[in-house]
Amino acid sequence: MPEWTNRVSQVGSKLDDRFDALKYRLRKRSGSFKQLQVLPYRGFGNSKEIYLKGRVLSERESPKLDNPEEVPRERIWTNILSTYRRLHSIEVPRAVVRITHEGETHDILTNEDGYFELHLPTKSQSALPWRDLKIELLSPKPEGTNAITATAHALVPPKNARFGIISDIDDTIIVSNARNLLKAAYTTFSQSARGRVAFPGVGAFYRALQSGTNEGEFNPVFYVSSGPWNLYDLLVEFMQLNQIPLGPILLQDYGLTEKQIISASHLDHKLAQIRKLLETYPDLPFILIGDSGQHDPEIYRKVLEEVPTRIKAIYIRDVAGDDRDAEVLKLAEEAREHGGELILVRNSLEGAKHAVEKGFISATALPEISGEKIEDETNAATEPDLK
């Protein structure tokens, strides 16, 4: 980073911190922290420790509909207001949060943007992949209210996991049009989780990967994106609606720091998160899934270069033009030189057929993936315009 950029970042970060502190004092004095919430993000860990992150926010009032019976319908302005609320969240800095896990309590302070994160030691062994952790907000605590609590869920892969899956989100599982700025903005701001479109068959394909080939097998799925944490709840709802396996979602904090003027680049952020997962599970190989729209092929080829024996396959969804396809195919040749496979696929069914050949999923899963793909394509073709 150039020296002048570094200095601007440091000064800007300090001004931003002071402004946040001033906002906090004013809100505390005015009593605007009356509707507080603790929002835990899904954590993950291994037999020794669990990593957990979350945020303390002051809730904004939900936008009102003209007619409550219209909730299932897509309303552009309602969705835009909801997105505005997400992106302009009221964070609560210096809040004290207590996490209770395995009978032990851990108190932690939120940072200037309302985030808390910590590594918790764990001892218990369980065949179940998800662990529950209790979270309580100790301070600030509005008068006349009950205790503000939440339950966090952390994924600890069971011993029968044969591999893990690391997937991108935008234009990999959800149609985002990330290469087109105007289309991407329209999709992000005007559509709710119900209105967002999943790629045909993606839910069934991911469920098959999670289930593997053996009865009782559970392969963990992780989602890595350079999108902001503010969209976390929308992504969770979208995955639930489309029956896409739930897993930790690793997003990005958009803000000013002493080291950078804006958030980390798409490439740097995703590489850092993937490396973190590889370090957390040193004995677990991975399947990487992304798309050709941005830099997923380059990022995944870099990962393959660093840990060639741990990447079982790389699936890249083809969402770009012929020029980009040529670049991806060249990266596929480089992947083969490192002993790996980078496969450019047009749809989920193509990826699933390759997964069957490699023994990642059972052939009995193909009819369900094919059927869901056809159903999704039919529903997308008949989807009415937004009102």
Short mmCIF file of all heavy atoms in Angstrom, two decimals, residues 38-71:
data_model
loop_
_atom_site.label_atom_id
_atom_site.label_comp_id
_atom_site.label_asym_id
_atom_site.label_seq_id
_atom_site.Cartn_x
_atom_site.Cartn_y
_atom_site.Cartn_z
N VAL A 38 -29.34 -9.41 19.44
CA VAL A 38 -28.06 -10.08 19.25
C VAL A 38 -28.21 -10.99 18.06
O VAL A 38 -29.09 -11.86 18.03
CB VAL A 38 -27.66 -10.90 20.50
CG1 VAL A 38 -26.35 -11.63 20.24
CG2 VAL A 38 -27.52 -9.99 21.70
N LEU A 39 -27.38 -10.79 17.05
CA LEU A 39 -27.46 -11.59 15.83
C LEU A 39 -26.20 -12.45 15.72
O LEU A 39 -25.15 -11.98 15.29
CB LEU A 39 -27.57 -10.67 14.60
CG LEU A 39 -27.58 -11.36 13.24
CD1 LEU A 39 -28.77 -12.31 13.12
CD2 LEU A 39 -27.61 -10.33 12.10
N PRO A 40 -26.28 -13.71 16.12
CA PRO A 40 -25.12 -14.60 15.96
C PRO A 40 -25.07 -15.17 14.55
O PRO A 40 -26.10 -15.49 13.96
CB PRO A 40 -25.39 -15.69 16.99
CG PRO A 40 -26.88 -15.76 17.10
CD PRO A 40 -27.40 -14.37 16.81
N TYR A 41 -23.88 -15.26 14.00
CA TYR A 41 -23.69 -15.91 12.71
C TYR A 41 -23.28 -17.37 12.97
O TYR A 41 -22.66 -17.66 14.00
CB TYR A 41 -22.60 -15.20 11.90
CG TYR A 41 -22.85 -13.71 11.74
CD1 TYR A 41 -21.89 -12.77 12.12
CD2 TYR A 41 -24.05 -13.25 11.24
CE1 TYR A 41 -22.12 -11.41 11.98
CE2 TYR A 41 -24.30 -11.89 11.09
CZ TYR A 41 -23.33 -10.98 11.47
OH TYR A 41 -23.56 -9.64 11.34
N ARG A 42 -23.60 -18.25 12.07
CA ARG A 42 -23.25 -19.65 12.30
C ARG A 42 -21.74 -19.80 12.43
O ARG A 42 -20.98 -19.37 11.58
CB ARG A 42 -23.76 -20.52 11.14
CG ARG A 42 -25.25 -20.74 11.19
CD ARG A 42 -25.65 -21.91 10.30
NE ARG A 42 -27.09 -21.89 10.12
CZ ARG A 42 -27.72 -21.28 9.14
NH1 ARG A 42 -27.03 -20.67 8.21
NH2 ARG A 42 -29.02 -21.30 9.05
N GLY A 43 -21.32 -20.46 13.51
CA GLY A 43 -19.91 -20.68 13.73
C GLY A 43 -19.47 -22.02 13.21
O GLY A 43 -20.25 -22.79 12.64
N PHE A 44 -18.21 -22.31 13.42
CA PHE A 44 -17.67 -23.60 13.00
C PHE A 44 -16.45 -23.92 13.86
O PHE A 44 -15.84 -23.05 14.48
CB PHE A 44 -17.29 -23.60 11.52
CG PHE A 44 -16.25 -22.56 11.14
CD1 PHE A 44 -14.90 -22.87 11.15
CD2 PHE A 44 -16.63 -21.28 10.77
CE1 PHE A 44 -13.95 -21.93 10.81
CE2 PHE A 44 -15.69 -20.33 10.42
CZ PHE A 44 -14.35 -20.65 10.43
N GLY A 45 -16.10 -25.20 13.92
CA GLY A 45 -14.97 -25.58 14.72
C GLY A 45 -14.60 -27.03 14.55
O GLY A 45 -15.13 -27.73 13.68
N ASN A 46 -13.70 -27.47 15.41
CA ASN A 46 -13.23 -28.86 15.38
C ASN A 46 -13.30 -29.44 16.79
O ASN A 46 -14.01 -28.90 17.65
CB ASN A 46 -11.81 -28.92 14.80
CG ASN A 46 -10.87 -27.94 15.50
OD1 ASN A 46 -10.96 -27.72 16.70
ND2 ASN A 46 -9.95 -27.35 14.73
N SER A 47 -12.57 -30.49 17.05
CA SER A 47 -12.64 -31.15 18.35
C SER A 47 -11.98 -30.35 19.48
O SER A 47 -12.14 -30.67 20.65
CB SER A 47 -11.97 -32.53 18.28
OG SER A 47 -10.60 -32.40 17.91
N LYS A 48 -11.27 -29.27 19.12
CA LYS A 48 -10.56 -28.49 20.14
C LYS A 48 -11.18 -27.12 20.40
O LYS A 48 -11.16 -26.65 21.54
CB LYS A 48 -9.10 -28.31 19.72
CG LYS A 48 -8.32 -29.62 19.64
CD LYS A 48 -6.89 -29.37 19.22
CE LYS A 48 -6.10 -30.67 19.14
NZ LYS A 48 -4.70 -30.43 18.71
N GLU A 49 -11.69 -26.46 19.37
CA GLU A 49 -12.23 -25.12 19.56
C GLU A 49 -13.32 -24.80 18.55
O GLU A 49 -13.42 -25.43 17.50
CB GLU A 49 -11.12 -24.07 19.49
CG GLU A 49 -10.49 -23.92 18.12
CD GLU A 49 -9.48 -22.77 18.08
OE1 GLU A 49 -9.14 -22.24 19.14
OE2 GLU A 49 -9.07 -22.41 16.97
N ILE A 50 -14.12 -23.80 18.91
CA ILE A 50 -15.20 -23.32 18.05
C ILE A 50 -14.99 -21.83 17.81
O ILE A 50 -14.71 -21.07 18.75
CB ILE A 50 -16.57 -23.57 18.70
CG1 ILE A 50 -16.92 -25.06 18.66
CG2 ILE A 50 -17.67 -22.75 18.01
CD1 ILE A 50 -18.19 -25.40 19.39
N TYR A 51 -15.12 -21.43 16.55
CA TYR A 51 -15.02 -20.01 16.20
C TYR A 51 -16.44 -19.46 16.05
O TYR A 51 -17.27 -20.04 15.36
CB TYR A 51 -14.25 -19.84 14.90
CG TYR A 51 -14.34 -18.44 14.33
CD1 TYR A 51 -13.62 -17.39 14.90
CD2 TYR A 51 -15.15 -18.17 13.24
CE1 TYR A 51 -13.70 -16.10 14.39
CE2 TYR A 51 -15.24 -16.88 12.71
CZ TYR A 51 -14.51 -15.86 13.29
OH TYR A 51 -14.61 -14.59 12.78
N LEU A 52 -16.70 -18.34 16.72
CA LEU A 52 -18.03 -17.75 16.68
C LEU A 52 -17.93 -16.25 16.44
O LEU A 52 -17.06 -15.57 17.01
CB LEU A 52 -18.76 -18.01 18.01
CG LEU A 52 -20.21 -17.54 18.09
CD1 LEU A 52 -21.08 -18.34 17.12
CD2 LEU A 52 -20.73 -17.68 19.52
N LYS A 53 -18.83 -15.76 15.61
CA LYS A 53 -18.90 -14.32 15.33
C LYS A 53 -20.35 -13.89 15.35
O LYS A 53 -21.25 -14.68 15.05
CB LYS A 53 -18.28 -14.01 13.96
CG LYS A 53 -18.29 -12.52 13.59
CD LYS A 53 -17.44 -12.25 12.38
CE LYS A 53 -17.39 -10.75 12.06
NZ LYS A 53 -16.38 -10.41 11.04
N GLY A 54 -20.59 -12.64 15.72
CA GLY A 54 -21.95 -12.12 15.74
C GLY A 54 -21.93 -10.61 15.85
O GLY A 54 -20.87 -9.98 15.79
N ARG A 55 -23.11 -10.05 16.02
CA ARG A 55 -23.20 -8.59 16.05
C ARG A 55 -24.35 -8.17 16.95
O ARG A 55 -25.36 -8.88 17.07
CB ARG A 55 -23.45 -8.06 14.63
CG ARG A 55 -23.03 -6.61 14.42
CD ARG A 55 -23.18 -6.22 12.96
NE ARG A 55 -22.52 -4.94 12.69
CZ ARG A 55 -22.61 -4.28 11.55
NH1 ARG A 55 -23.33 -4.77 10.55
NH2 ARG A 55 -21.98 -3.12 11.39
N VAL A 56 -24.20 -7.04 17.59
CA VAL A 56 -25.27 -6.46 18.39
C VAL A 56 -25.79 -5.24 17.64
O VAL A 56 -25.02 -4.33 17.31
CB VAL A 56 -24.78 -6.06 19.80
CG1 VAL A 56 -25.93 -5.41 20.59
CG2 VAL A 56 -24.25 -7.28 20.54
N LEU A 57 -27.09 -5.23 17.38
CA LEU A 57 -27.71 -4.17 16.59
C LEU A 57 -28.92 -3.62 17.31
O LEU A 57 -29.51 -4.28 18.17
CB LEU A 57 -28.13 -4.69 15.22
CG LEU A 57 -27.05 -5.26 14.31
CD1 LEU A 57 -27.69 -5.92 13.09
CD2 LEU A 57 -26.09 -4.16 13.88
N SER A 58 -29.30 -2.41 16.92
CA SER A 58 -30.55 -1.83 17.36
C SER A 58 -31.53 -1.98 16.21
O SER A 58 -31.26 -1.50 15.10
CB SER A 58 -30.36 -0.35 17.73
OG SER A 58 -31.58 0.20 18.17
N GLU A 59 -32.63 -2.65 16.44
CA GLU A 59 -33.56 -2.97 15.37
C GLU A 59 -34.27 -1.72 14.85
O GLU A 59 -34.64 -0.84 15.62
CB GLU A 59 -34.62 -3.96 15.85
CG GLU A 59 -34.06 -5.30 16.27
CD GLU A 59 -35.15 -6.22 16.73
OE1 GLU A 59 -35.56 -6.09 17.89
OE2 GLU A 59 -35.59 -7.06 15.94
N ARG A 60 -34.45 -1.70 13.55
CA ARG A 60 -35.29 -0.68 12.95
C ARG A 60 -36.69 -1.24 12.77
O ARG A 60 -36.87 -2.44 12.61
CB ARG A 60 -34.74 -0.24 11.58
CG ARG A 60 -33.40 0.48 11.65
CD ARG A 60 -32.95 0.84 10.25
NE ARG A 60 -31.65 1.48 10.23
CZ ARG A 60 -31.45 2.78 10.34
NH1 ARG A 60 -32.48 3.58 10.49
NH2 ARG A 60 -30.23 3.30 10.29
N GLU A 61 -37.67 -0.36 12.75
CA GLU A 61 -39.05 -0.81 12.55
C GLU A 61 -39.22 -1.34 11.14
O GLU A 61 -38.74 -0.75 10.16
CB GLU A 61 -40.01 0.36 12.78
CG GLU A 61 -41.47 -0.04 12.73
CD GLU A 61 -42.38 1.15 13.02
OE1 GLU A 61 -41.86 2.25 13.21
OE2 GLU A 61 -43.60 0.95 13.04
N SER A 62 -39.87 -2.47 11.01
CA SER A 62 -40.08 -3.08 9.70
C SER A 62 -41.03 -2.22 8.87
O SER A 62 -41.96 -1.61 9.40
CB SER A 62 -40.68 -4.49 9.84
OG SER A 62 -39.81 -5.31 10.57
N PRO A 63 -40.81 -2.14 7.54
CA PRO A 63 -41.71 -1.37 6.68
C PRO A 63 -43.12 -1.94 6.71
O PRO A 63 -43.31 -3.15 6.76
CB PRO A 63 -41.07 -1.51 5.30
CG PRO A 63 -40.23 -2.72 5.38
CD PRO A 63 -39.75 -2.81 6.78
N LYS A 64 -44.12 -1.07 6.73
CA LYS A 64 -45.51 -1.50 6.80
C LYS A 64 -46.08 -1.73 5.41
O LYS A 64 -45.85 -0.95 4.48
CB LYS A 64 -46.34 -0.43 7.52
CG LYS A 64 -45.93 -0.23 8.98
CD LYS A 64 -46.28 -1.44 9.83
CE LYS A 64 -46.07 -1.17 11.30
NZ LYS A 64 -44.70 -0.91 11.66
N LEU A 65 -46.85 -2.79 5.25
CA LEU A 65 -47.54 -3.08 4.01
C LEU A 65 -48.92 -2.43 4.05
O LEU A 65 -49.52 -2.27 5.12
CB LEU A 65 -47.70 -4.58 3.81
CG LEU A 65 -46.40 -5.38 3.63
CD1 LEU A 65 -46.73 -6.86 3.59
CD2 LEU A 65 -45.69 -4.97 2.37
N ASP A 66 -49.43 -2.05 2.87
CA ASP A 66 -50.78 -1.49 2.80
C ASP A 66 -51.80 -2.51 3.28
O ASP A 66 -52.78 -2.18 3.93
CB ASP A 66 -51.10 -1.08 1.35
CG ASP A 66 -50.17 0.03 0.88
OD1 ASP A 66 -49.71 0.80 1.73
OD2 ASP A 66 -49.92 0.10 -0.34
N ASN A 67 -51.57 -3.76 2.95
CA ASN A 67 -52.47 -4.84 3.32
C ASN A 67 -51.65 -6.02 3.80
O ASN A 67 -50.89 -6.60 3.03
CB ASN A 67 -53.32 -5.24 2.11
CG ASN A 67 -54.34 -6.32 2.47
OD1 ASN A 67 -54.33 -6.85 3.58
ND2 ASN A 67 -55.22 -6.62 1.53
N PRO A 68 -51.74 -6.41 5.07
CA PRO A 68 -50.93 -7.52 5.59
C PRO A 68 -51.10 -8.81 4.81
O PRO A 68 -50.21 -9.65 4.81
CB PRO A 68 -51.46 -7.67 7.03
CG PRO A 68 -52.04 -6.35 7.38
CD PRO A 68 -52.61 -5.83 6.08
N GLU A 69 -52.25 -8.98 4.14
CA GLU A 69 -52.47 -10.21 3.39
C GLU A 69 -51.58 -10.30 2.15
O GLU A 69 -51.48 -11.34 1.52
CB GLU A 69 -53.93 -10.31 2.96
CG GLU A 69 -54.89 -10.44 4.14
CD GLU A 69 -56.33 -10.55 3.69
OE1 GLU A 69 -56.56 -10.47 2.46
OE2 GLU A 69 -57.22 -10.71 4.54
N GLU A 70 -50.89 -9.20 1.82
CA GLU A 70 -50.05 -9.17 0.63
C GLU A 70 -48.62 -9.60 0.92
O GLU A 70 -47.76 -9.52 0.05
CB GLU A 70 -50.05 -7.78 0.01
CG GLU A 70 -51.40 -7.34 -0.54
CD GLU A 70 -51.33 -5.96 -1.17
OE1 GLU A 70 -50.30 -5.29 -0.98
OE2 GLU A 70 -52.29 -5.56 -1.83
N VAL A 71 -48.32 -10.06 2.11
CA VAL A 71 -46.95 -10.42 2.48
C VAL A 71 -46.29 -11.38 1.51
O VAL A 71 -45.15 -11.20 1.13
CB VAL A 71 -46.91 -11.00 3.91
CG1 VAL A 71 -45.56 -11.58 4.23
CG2 VAL A 71 -47.27 -9.91 4.92
#
